[in-house]
């Protein structure tokens, strides 16, 4: 979400400057010599067999640095917020001093790599750059320029890039002191930087030739940074650039593929001609500078492939705020606003968008793709360094968002906001967002009959992997969600942010959520890998959770909760769980902290850290039992449910957490 005040906990060690030992990555295992490893292929740091058929089908293969050959330090595992380990894929990474390396063995033919990494912030914020040496089979292939200019957010919502900033909201309660600092005497000491987060970035590189399986790629840290953390490597075989011969070629309209001159006006001319001539717009390989929105309506814009055609822009401060409240503009492709009737028949495909967004200003329209797009499609884009990858303000209908890569965002990856209907988000990869990875937000007008299907969402540094805020007859299916960090979890169903009520049927099926069930830093309790939250109103639609797998949950697998101030007003009722597998919880399978009810059929659980059901109801603890009732429809294996039927009070706010063993095939 892009509107909630965020709270957190635990001041972190310094992440800035260029001196050694300035960052906490969680527990670090010092490696004095070479660490050898085969770097097996993983998906979200899991054995691919555990997630077969779930998540996005992609052209790259993922390998984790901690399983490769390396010198340096192994970071993690650790799931504590504000650490490098917590934000790493699989909660492990490798920290290198200058001259140290990580070496991967290619699992199949490849000519391109993507490296997920972190380097320090500048002492006063704003980031640094540093080279990373790349060799293949011992021969130099080039240098990546790493940057932390788009990483590092600090402090309270809406965050700052200044590590030395005082509290942005001293009149807010914070968990660090369990107080309102401005109203507390003597004033509490608040460590700086306060609540650092969003450490990682990614860099892509074409290797210049094709290498075979078994060849080795070595990444060597330079003296340009005191330390370099390598999280993972993606390798792939990128096809040659695509040519569209019958099209309005932007070069003929004055676009500059070198990026030296702004190409926005040339794109406008190409689009206008293409609409009249009923042609596509073709954008050949190159880096095209665009420092403002490109307006799109009834047009197809097609690049040579997102490795080759890149739109790169600088964030520009407006002379005066725009009517929508924006104070900046930047590169982005925008349909007309819904109030103007929106845009139709827009098709964007096969190019990259690289923004220049370093701070979160929620009124700014500095997203990769935006506006209202009906009867349209967005395919095979690579979007990074924008505020939100794709933010759509409806009403609008029939949009298809497919096979995109959305990384390193300041806020959400994608948000269907207000009255989006009959639209599909499928086969996308989302990594390192600063808010919900994928969201449907039914503010004022319900989102209806939409689907989030077979997407992979990894390491949202704030909020949830997938969040549904109200709406009617929506579907969340076949997704893979991993490693949420704080103030959210894997899948979230929330009656909040002024959303319309849930109505019809909400279907949640065949998803896998791993290493979620995070610690809620404000409440100081654990969430569920999937969690339901009644804040603005009750949740009482037909909600069916079928076929989900919840693996290695830090706290709970399932949570149903209402806010304390409304616990006697709102409830979560009638949720159905069927054919669900729970493999490992630090605490419970189900945590109920609300009035309401749920049914369970063929829900199997193993490696449960505490009680099977933590049932607090609405905290009245009457002789009649909890206000939350559980119904056993049969087939629930693992012994986790029967002792707590139908509403046995088993409330323990903070049971000991027992880390489960790694998940295995069932």
């Amino acid at each position: 979400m892009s509107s909630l005040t965020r709270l957190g906990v635990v001041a972190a060690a310094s992440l800035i400057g260029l001196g050694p030992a300035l960052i906490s990555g969680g527990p670090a295992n010092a490696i004095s010599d070479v660490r050898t490893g085969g770097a097996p292929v993983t998906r979200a740091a899991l054995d691919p067999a555990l997630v077969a058929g779930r998540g996005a089908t992609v052209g790259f293969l993922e390998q984790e640095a901690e399983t490769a050959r390396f010198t340096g330090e192994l970071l993690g595992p650790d799931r504590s917020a504000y650490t490098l380990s917590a934000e790493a894929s699989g909660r492990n990474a490798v920290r290198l001093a200058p001259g140290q390396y990580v070496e991967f063995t290619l699992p199949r033919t490849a000519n391109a790599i993507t490296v997920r990494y972190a380097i320090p912030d500048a002492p006063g914020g704003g980031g640094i750059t540093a080279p990373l040496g790349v060799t293949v089979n011992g021969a130099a292939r080039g240098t990546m320029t790493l940057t932390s200019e788009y990483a590092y957010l600090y402090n309270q919502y809406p965050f700052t890039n200044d590590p030395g900033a005082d509290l942005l909201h001293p009149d807010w309660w914070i968990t660090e002191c369990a107080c309102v600092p401005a109203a507390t005497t003597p004033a509490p000491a608040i460590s700086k930087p306060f609540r650092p987060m969003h450490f990682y970035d990614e860099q892509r590189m074409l290797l210049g030739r094709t290498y075979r399986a078994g060849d080795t790629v070595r990444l060597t840290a330079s003296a340009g940074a005191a330390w370099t953390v390598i999280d993972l490597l993606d390798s792939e075989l990128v096809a040659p650039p695509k040519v569209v011969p019958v099209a309005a070629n932007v070069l003929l309209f004055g676009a500059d593929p070198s990026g030296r001159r702004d190409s926005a006006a040339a794109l406008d001319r190409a689009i206008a001609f293409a609409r009249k001539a009923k042609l596509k717009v073709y954008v050949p390989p190159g880096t095209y500078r665009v420092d403002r929105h490109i307006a799109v309506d009834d047009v197809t814009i097609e690049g040579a492939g997102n490795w080759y055609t890149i739109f790169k822009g600088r964030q520009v401060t407006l002379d005066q705020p725009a009517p929508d409240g924006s104070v900046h503009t930047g590169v982005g492709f925008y349909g007309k606003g819904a109030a103007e009737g929106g845009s139709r028949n827009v098709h964007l495909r096969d190019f990259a968008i690289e923004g220049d967004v370093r701070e979160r200003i929620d009124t700014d329209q500095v997203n990769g793709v935006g506006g209202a797009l009906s009867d349209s499609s967005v395919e095979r884009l690579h979007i990074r360094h924008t505020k939100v990858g794709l933010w759509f303000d409806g009403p609008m209908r029939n949009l298809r968002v497919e096979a995109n890569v959305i990384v390193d965002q300041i806020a959400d990856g994608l948000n269907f906001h207000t009255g989006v209907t009959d639209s599909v988000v499928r086969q996308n990869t989302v990594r390192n967002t600063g808010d919900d990875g994928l969201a449907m937000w039914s503010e004022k007008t319900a989102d209806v009959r939409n689907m989030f299907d077979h997407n992979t969402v990894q390491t949202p540094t704030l909020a949830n992997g997938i969040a549904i805020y109200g709406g009617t007859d929506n579907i969340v299916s076949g997704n893979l969600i991993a490693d949420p960090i704080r103030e959210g979890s894997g899948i979230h169903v929330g009656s909040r942010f002024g959303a319309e009520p849930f109505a019809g049927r909400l279907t949640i099926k065949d998803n896998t959520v791993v290493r979620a069930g995070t610690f809620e830093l404000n409440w100081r309790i654990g969430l569920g890998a999937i969690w339901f939250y009644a804040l603005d109103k009750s949740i009482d639609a037909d909600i069916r959770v079928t076929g989900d797998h919840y693996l290695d949950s830090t706290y709970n697998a399932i949570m149903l909760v209402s806010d304390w101030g409304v616990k006697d007003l709102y409830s979560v009722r009638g949720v159905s769980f069927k054919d669900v597998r729970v493999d490992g919880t630090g605490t419970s399978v189900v945590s109920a902290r609300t009035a309401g009810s749920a049914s369970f059929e063929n829900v199997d659980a193993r490696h449960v850290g505490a009680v099977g059901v933590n049932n607090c109801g609405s905290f009245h603890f009457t002789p009649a039992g909890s206000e939350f009732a559980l119904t056993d429809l049969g087939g629930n294996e693992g012994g986790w449910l029967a002792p707590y039927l139908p509403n046995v009070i088993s409330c323990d706010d903070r049971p000991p957490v027992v880390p489960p063993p790694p998940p295995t095939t069932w």
Side-chain angles (χ1 to χ4, degrees):
M1 284 296 306
S2 293
S3 63
L4 176 64
T5 296
R6 304 294 188 181
L7 299 174
V9 68
V10 184
S14 175
L15 306 176
I16 60 177
L18 298 177
L22 289 175
I23 187 166
S24 170
N29 301 312
I31 307 297
S32 59
D33 199 353
V34 173
R35 170 74 174 261
T36 61
V41 172
T42 57
R43 294 185 61 208
L46 285 174
D47 179 349
L50 293 173
V51 293
R54 301 183 178 204
T57 300
V58 296
F60 58 82
L61 295 179
E62 171 194 281
Q63 294 172 282
E64 294 284 331
E66 64 271 15
T67 64
R69 186 172 186 262
F70 66 84
T71 56
E73 287 183 316
L74 173 65
L75 298 182
D78 185 29
R79 304 187 189 185
S80 304
Y82 317 125
T83 65
L84 283 162
S85 299
E87 291 192 15
S89 171
R91 315 296 185 144
N92 289 277
V94 174
R95 179 166 54 196
L96 306 176
Q100 294 179 326
Y101 65 84
V102 180
E103 184 173 275
F104 299 87
T105 300
L106 292 176
R108 73 178 180 199
T109 303
N111 62 3
I113 58 173
T114 299
V115 177
R116 186 167 193 256
Y117 67 89
I119 58 175
D121 197 1
I128 64 171
T129 61
L132 179 73
V134 180
T135 60
V136 184
N137 298 332
R141 294 309 307 165
T143 301
M144 283 185 168
T145 300
L146 308 184
T147 181
S148 56
E149 294 169 329
Y150 300 96
Y152 290 97
L153 298 174
Y154 305 96
N155 221 294
Q156 298 157 296
Y157 172 87
F159 317 115
T160 176
N161 300 125
D162 180 3
D166 293 328
L167 292 177
L168 297 183
H169 302 283
D171 55 335
W172 288 1
W173 186 92
I174 62 172
T175 190
E176 285 80 355
C177 64
C179 71
V180 176
T184 301
T185 304
I190 305 298
S191 298
K192 297 179 183 179
F194 186 59
R195 300 179 182 170
M197 59 176 278
H198 204 258
F199 306 128
Y200 286 87
D201 207 330
E202 298 187 9
Q203 188 61 267
R204 304 195 296 172
M205 183 179 187
L206 289 166
L207 296 173
R209 53 160 288 189
T210 299
Y211 292 92
R212 298 173 296 180
D215 289 342
T216 57
V217 176
R218 178 176 290 193
L219 309 176
T220 303
S222 75
W227 48 263
T228 300
V229 171
I230 304 297
D231 182 23
L232 58 80
L233 179 106
D234 294 332
S235 58
E236 64 182 295
L237 184 63
V238 177
K242 182 175 60 175
V243 177
V244 182
V246 181
N249 189 317
V250 297
L251 300 182
L252 300 178
F253 297 87
D256 178 9
S258 74
R260 288 189 292 270
R261 290 182 290 107
D262 192 299
S263 292
L267 279 165
D268 290 343
R269 291 191 292 269
I271 290 169
F273 177 85
R275 292 185 62 184
K276 290 179 181 178
K278 300 190 183 305
L279 293 172
K280 297 178 181 179
V281 173
Y282 173 60
V283 189
T287 298
Y288 300 84
R289 181 181 148 200
V290 175
D291 294 338
R292 61 165 170 83
H293 296 174
I294 299 299
V296 290
D297 185 22
D298 190 25
V299 67
T300 296
I301 302 177
E302 194 163 334
N306 66 47
W307 283 83
Y308 303 111
T309 299
I310 301 168
F311 294 103
K312 188 175 179 65
R314 294 179 295 197
Q315 182 166 283
V316 176
T317 301
L318 300 174
D319 293 334
Q320 57 185 7
D324 62 10
S326 294
V327 295
H328 299 97
T329 189
V331 61
F333 291 78
Y334 273 70
K336 292 186 292 187
E340 306 169 79
S343 292
R344 284 174 171 75
N345 192 32
V346 173
H347 305 284
L348 308 174
R349 61 177 72 111
D350 296 315
F351 56 83
I353 301 171
E354 294 193 9
D356 185 35
V357 180
R358 310 173 191 218
E359 59 185 338
R360 179 163 174 168
I361 301 174
D362 280 345
T363 56
D364 269 356
Q365 287 287 346
V366 286
N367 308 316
V369 181
L373 299 179
S374 294
D375 303 319
S376 299
S377 63
V378 181
E379 301 174 89
R380 299 183 297 278
L381 303 191
H382 186 280
I383 307 174
R384 70 171 186 152
H385 296 162
T386 56
K387 187 183 76 174
V388 176
L390 306 100
W391 181 287
F392 300 103
D393 291 301
M396 51 176 270
R397 63 175 300 278
N398 190 29
L399 172 69
R400 181 166 52 88
V401 179
E402 189 165 351
N404 302 284
V405 176
I406 307 159
V407 296
D408 305 324
Q409 301 296 309
I410 290 291
D412 305 42
L414 173 145
N415 196 308
F416 279 173
H417 175 231
T418 302
V420 178
T421 63
D422 298 313
S423 296
V424 176
V425 177
R426 177 179 288 134
Q427 297 288 349
N428 300 281
T429 299
V430 181
R431 194 157 58 192
N432 194 41
T433 57
D435 214 306
D436 293 326
L438 302 174
M440 300 184 202
W441 181 17
S442 294
E443 187 183 35
K444 299 180 181 177
T445 305
D447 291 338
V448 180
R449 296 185 303 276
N450 302 300
M451 178 182 290
F452 288 168
D453 179 64
H454 281 86
N455 304 283
T456 297
V457 182
Q458 295 173 262
T459 60
T461 60
L462 187 74
N464 307 281
I466 293 179
I468 310 298
Y469 303 107
T472 302
D473 293 332
N474 295 303
I475 298 173
V476 177
S477 60
N479 301 284
L480 170 59
I481 303 153
D483 298 315
I485 315 302
R486 68 180 179 104
E487 296 170 68
S489 194
I491 298 174
H492 178 46
V493 177
S495 173
R496 53 199 303 205
F497 305 116
E500 292 297 297
F502 288 96
R505 177 181 296 173
L506 173 61
T507 299
I508 300 171
K509 65 178 183 179
D510 299 333
N511 304 284
T512 293
V513 182
V514 58
R515 296 180 299 272
T518 57
F519 186 65
E520 212 300 316
L521 299 164
N522 186 24
W523 295 338
R524 300 189 64 79
I525 59 173
L527 300 180
I530 182 171
W531 66 298
F532 302 77
Y533 182 28
L535 176 61
D536 293 348
K537 51 183 68 73
S538 291
I539 298 175
D540 54 10
D542 180 6
I543 300 178
R544 303 188 186 189
V545 181
T546 306
D548 275 12
H549 296 172
Y550 307 127
L551 310 180
D552 192 6
S553 300
T554 309
Y555 285 85
N556 308 291
I558 298 164
M559 185 182 211
L560 310 100
V561 59
S562 55
D563 199 73
W564 182 265
V566 296
K567 66 184 179 65
D568 296 325
L569 297 175
Y570 305 137
S571 60
V572 181
R573 296 191 180 277
V575 183
S576 167
F577 296 89
K578 183 178 180 180
D579 299 331
V580 172
R581 291 179 178 176
V582 175
D583 192 351
T585 71
T587 51
S588 298
V589 177
V590 175
S591 178
R593 303 173 64 83
T594 180
S597 60
S599 65
F600 302 88
E601 181 178 1
N602 297 330
V603 177
D604 300 341
R606 63 189 183 188
H607 307 307
V608 177
V611 296
V613 177
N614 180 51
N615 194 343
C616 301
S618 52
F619 293 89
H620 292 290
F621 306 128
T622 69
S626 168
E627 298 84 1
F628 190 89
L630 303 96
T631 300
D632 183 354
L633 297 180
N636 300 295
E637 296 185 357
W640 67 272
L641 178 59
Y644 309 100
L645 295 170
N647 63 335
V648 173
I649 296 171
S650 53
C651 187
D652 185 347
D653 263 356
R654 297 172 183 87
V657 178
V658 180
T664 58
T665 53
W666 206 267

